Every structure is written in structure tokens, then in C-alpha cells.
Amino acid sequence: MTDAVGSIDMPDAQDEELETKKKGRKGGKRAKKGPLKRLATFYRQIIAELRKVVWPTRNQLTSYTTVVIFFVAIMIALVTVIDYGLNHAAKYVFG
């Protein structure tokens, strides 16, 4: 019978020890490469991922920017009105 942690017959420490023996060595493929090669691979992967990105056209970017600026202006106005109203309410209540 097993539970979520491990088997009853074999404690967790022995499970980890057996897994370590099966792997042979630590590090896997990355242990072969030096830090500069890993860094170069990392940057190559970044460039490859950026090539997959679907970039917006100029018209889409302009419309998205306009929508964001308009939304931010509305939120600023809303917060200003609420702040003004609460300020006058506090002055009325406290003096």
C-alpha cells in the first residue's frame, strides 16, 4: 500500500538515494558546458523565441495605445472625483 509521500516499505531517504544512484551523475547535459557556452545558448534561445512573437502592426499599436491612454485618463478622472467627494465629506463631518 502506498501513500502520497512514498511506500510504507521504503522510507523517502532510501527513495532519494536510489534515484541518485540510477542517475549516475548530477547536472545532466549542463555539466558538460562551461558558463559562457550556457550564456550563449541562453541568448540564442531568447532570439529564437522573439522570432516566434507576432508583433502588432503600426495601426494596431496606435489603436492599442489610444485605448490605453483613454482608459487611464478615465480612471484618473474617476479617482479624482471620488477623492474630491470624500475630501468634502470629511470636511463636512469633522469640521
Side-chain angles (χ1 to χ4, degrees):
M1 174 175 248
T2 62
D3 56 14
V5 178
S7 67
I8 295 173
D9 297 334
M10 188 176 294
D12 293 332
Q14 289 178 354
D15 288 342
E16 292 174 7
E17 187 178 311
L18 286 176
E19 288 177 10
T20 306
K21 287 180 182 178
K22 287 180 185 178
K23 289 180 185 175
R25 65 181 177 136
K26 292 183 180 179
K29 292 181 181 179
R30 290 196 307 183
K32 295 179 185 177
K33 297 179 182 179
L36 292 178
K37 284 190 177 184
R38 286 188 299 194
L39 190 62
T41 303
F42 176 69
Y43 282 116
R44 273 195 300 262
Q45 290 172 350
I46 289 174
I47 299 298
E49 289 298 321
L50 285 175
R51 287 187 179 140
K52 295 177 187 177
V53 173
V54 178
W55 298 99
T57 63
R58 184 174 293 272
N59 288 337
Q60 289 174 333
L61 189 62
T62 304
S63 64
Y64 296 160
T65 304
T66 304
V67 167
V68 167
I69 290 173
F70 184 70
F71 178 76
V72 168
I74 289 175
M75 293 308 293
I76 289 172
L78 181 66
V79 169
T80 302
V81 167
I82 292 172
D83 184 50
Y84 183 76
L86 290 174
N87 186 20
H88 280 289
K91 283 182 182 179
Y92 178 77
V93 171
F94 296 113

